[in-house]
Amino acid sequence: MPKAVIYRQYGVPAETVEVEEIAPAKPGLGEVRVNRILAPINPADLNTIEGKYPARYPLPATPGIEGVGTIAELGEGVTSTDLKVGSAVLLPAGLGSWREEVIAKASDLFPVPEGVPYQEAAMIRVNPATAWRMLHDFVAPQPGGWVIQNGGNSGVGRSVIAIAQKIGLKTVSLVRRPELIDELKALGADVVLLDDETAKDKIKESTGGAKILLGLNSVGGESAIRVAGALANGGKVVTFGAMSRQPMKIPTGFLIFKDIQFVGYWMTRWYKNTTVDQHRALFAQLLELAKAGTFQTPVEKIYPVSEVREAITRALQGSRGGKILLGQA
Amino acid sequence: MPKAVIYRQYGVPAETVEVEEIAPAKPGLGEVRVNRILAPINPADLNTIEGKYPARYPLPATPGIEGVGTIAELGEGVTSTDLKVGSAVLLPAGLGSWREEVIAKASDLFPVPEGVPYQEAAMIRVNPATAWRMLHDFVAPQPGGWVIQNGGNSGVGRSVIAIAQKIGLKTVSLVRRPELIDELKALGADVVLLDDETAKDKIKESTGGAKILLGLNSVGGESAIRVAGALANGGKVVTFGAMSRQPMKIPTGFLIFKDIQFVGYWMTRWYKNTTVDQHRALFAQLLELAKAGTFQTPVEKIYPVSEVREAITRALQGSRGGKILLGQA
């Protein structure tokens, strides 16, 4: 019998989650039964289980905001030619992707074009989507323009590098470990610098003093101020994470005299405030890029659902070689 | 002979400024000679003399970004019916209003309608202008809508209270001293609260949990976060000063999950990025309000130009009863 991860109350993720068997079910009218192939463990999933994430679901719930599967069985009335038994689909958010099987509304599934690696499809809805939107929604991208980001090695950071290259933007990426410099350059990063007090002068030098108007911040603390300080007057710092867990101490002069704007981005809000057609347009663009090999997301290990506690434990450790996923190990 | 304040280098204001006599001059073609009546000492003036203000003038220079005068003599070719000998005008920025007489281009002068108190006209270009723009340019003002500000007793703070009332906005003003509560309420402030940790609950209570989308911050530090925390999702904190000299420690969740935007406002930038017609439209609106008695700017003392050092010294002291101006004492 297929299995699903569930949690009945909020708590320490590796201790709180349980594995249950899914009772056999037939897809109803307009529904589809999907074999889940792969689903990542995202930080937001763990925060949700802890009860610390602003987006909550009625308990008991199954975690997992994204994943990919293949269609196992079509219910009555499912006539879309894109949905056939065996074809790959993106799982909808909200049902929980940390399960081996799911019954979903056919209209909530997005078909994955042939040739897209399952691994990238399983992780398209969060990191590449965040990177794409942040590169487009705050400062209109100009070919040859520059963007600066900290946390260059994160999932979003790598997606930013990949997407920026495709749309003609140049990137400055700040990273915490020297060995990441060559690694990110190999991915197509233009400038990669250590995220320390030497960065300021090096940014100027390596960009030829380019006017940078967009800064992406997922670190906070001093690093966020470094990103802000690299921007030209009128630039925007978009914050979407706080890996350092340090608050941002914003110098007032940045706001008043340099007209730097500090705003936030939350992918969940975008999905909530936009239409299904907009979601589909975004997925189509991102999966096209994935098919072209744009994203090369490193994966450390794929765990079966039955080993979800081990998977969570590993996902919470630093210095991993890549993402942790649930799937057929 | 009329006198002017000048500074030849940047330095401690009261020690750096000197008083000189102005050589007699006739207004040329299209020019006007103006008897300066009143000019305030603004913090930005003092920062400019210190060399710490981002807007600089070639040295030697005369300080003073605003003031009012009356026309003493018209040069040739000045045909505007608004400009007659004896009629009041706003002085242009950039020539320095800390002088008893000035030759100005007629086209740079804005006529002050009869019935506007000179004192309010002299101070219209900075504080009321800042308040007006901040109440209009960031969140479209909705009748019955709310705005929250700290530093409610500042020049801009009082202008915010006065203008908000005229345009149908309600105000929450945070202040540092209890005796200011009744004083600001007498001016028409809706809610006035002490700027401390008790404010949060009291704001909710006294506004009936109103959705506040605009926060004005001239204090920084904890107070800025208090203003941000009072905003509904999607609200904006507009920073235009930092009286506490404490940086703003922005909690990341405000940016990401509450979509609070932190932006800055600098009146000088607005004047620079807009047309003379836009400036004139703003002055016309503000002087109309001044004529109606909207602004009641408290003045502590008017010093003659010859006593500018005493005037500066007093302007730099706390617990004044009002603004310090230069003029006919």
Side-chain angles (χ1 to χ4, degrees), chain A residues 143-158:
Chain A
W146 284 85
V147 54
I148 181 166
Q149 64 173 344
N150 55 24
N153 184 48
S154 71
V156 173
R158 287 166 173 258

Side-chain angles (χ1 to χ4, degrees), chain A residues 140-146 167-170:
Chain A
Q142 305 289 341
W146 284 85
I167 64 175
L169 290 175
K170 293 183 167 181

Side-chain angles (χ1 to χ4, degrees), chain A residues 40-244:
Chain A
I41 294 182
N42 281 310
D45 296 323
L46 302 176
N47 290 337
T48 302
I49 299 167
E50 290 171 320
K52 292 179 182 169
Y53 204 63
R56 295 185 171 207
Y57 302 95
L59 300 186
T62 291
I65 44 183
E66 60 178 347
V68 69
T70 53
I71 294 179
E73 186 181 0
L74 298 173
E76 272 185 71
V78 178
T79 55
S80 166
T81 54
D82 285 333
L83 302 177
K84 293 178 207 131
V85 169
S87 64
V89 290
L90 298 185
L91 298 186
L95 294 181
S97 60
W98 293 12
R99 55 169 78 242
E100 290 174 340
E101 188 177 294
V102 66
I103 305 282
K105 285 204 288 191
S107 57
D108 287 345
L109 298 170
F110 188 84
V112 176
E114 287 205 25
V116 176
Y118 284 170
Q119 186 175 305
E120 301 301 339
M123 295 187 277
I124 212 82
R125 187 190 281 274
V126 176
N127 289 345
T130 301
W132 176 278
R133 294 260 60 101
M134 292 196 302
L135 288 174
H136 287 83
D137 292 354
F138 295 94
V139 176
Q142 305 289 341
W146 284 85
V147 54
I148 181 166
Q149 64 173 344
N150 55 24
N153 184 48
S154 71
V156 173
R158 287 166 173 258
S159 295
V160 163
I161 291 167
I163 295 171
Q165 208 184 11
K166 286 283 172 180
I167 64 175
L169 290 175
K170 293 183 167 181
T171 49
V172 177
S173 297
L174 304 180
V175 296
R176 274 181 287 186
R177 286 177 287 131
E179 63 270 28
L180 292 169
I181 294 177
D182 285 344
E183 191 180 330
L184 294 188
K185 280 189 178 169
L187 288 182
D190 296 289
V191 173
V192 188
L193 299 169
L194 275 181
D195 193 351
D196 61 25
E197 63 287 347
T198 68
K200 191 181 173 179
D201 293 338
K202 288 182 185 162
I203 293 166
K204 239 184 208 156
E205 202 179 290
S206 52
T207 63
K211 192 175 161 183
I212 311 178
L213 288 172
L214 180 61
L216 307 177
N217 165 46
S218 58
V219 177
E222 282 299 310
S223 175
I225 301 314
R226 221 164 269 142
V227 166
L231 297 185
N233 288 7
K236 286 184 189 173
V237 178
V238 181
T239 293
F240 64 100
M243 283 189 289
S244 73

Side-chain angles (χ1 to χ4, degrees), chain B residues 163-183:
Chain B
I163 296 171
Q165 208 184 10
K166 286 284 172 179
I167 65 177
L169 289 175
K170 291 182 169 184
T171 49
V172 177
S173 298
L174 305 180
V175 295
R176 274 181 286 186
R177 286 178 288 132
E179 64 268 28
L180 292 170
I181 294 178
D182 285 343
E183 192 179 330

Side-chain angles (χ1 to χ4, degrees), chain B residues 161-215:
Chain B
I161 290 167
I163 296 171
Q165 208 184 10
K166 286 284 172 179
I167 65 177
L169 289 175
K170 291 182 169 184
T171 49
V172 177
S173 298
L174 305 180
V175 295
R176 274 181 286 186
R177 286 178 288 132
E179 64 268 28
L180 292 170
I181 294 178
D182 285 343
E183 192 179 330
L184 294 187
K185 281 191 177 167
L187 287 181
D190 295 289
V191 174
V192 188
L193 298 169
L194 274 183
D195 193 350
D196 61 26
E197 63 286 349
T198 68
K200 192 179 174 180
D201 292 338
K202 289 182 184 162
I203 293 166
K204 240 183 207 153
E205 202 178 292
S206 52
T207 63
K211 193 175 162 185
I212 311 179
L213 288 171
L214 180 61

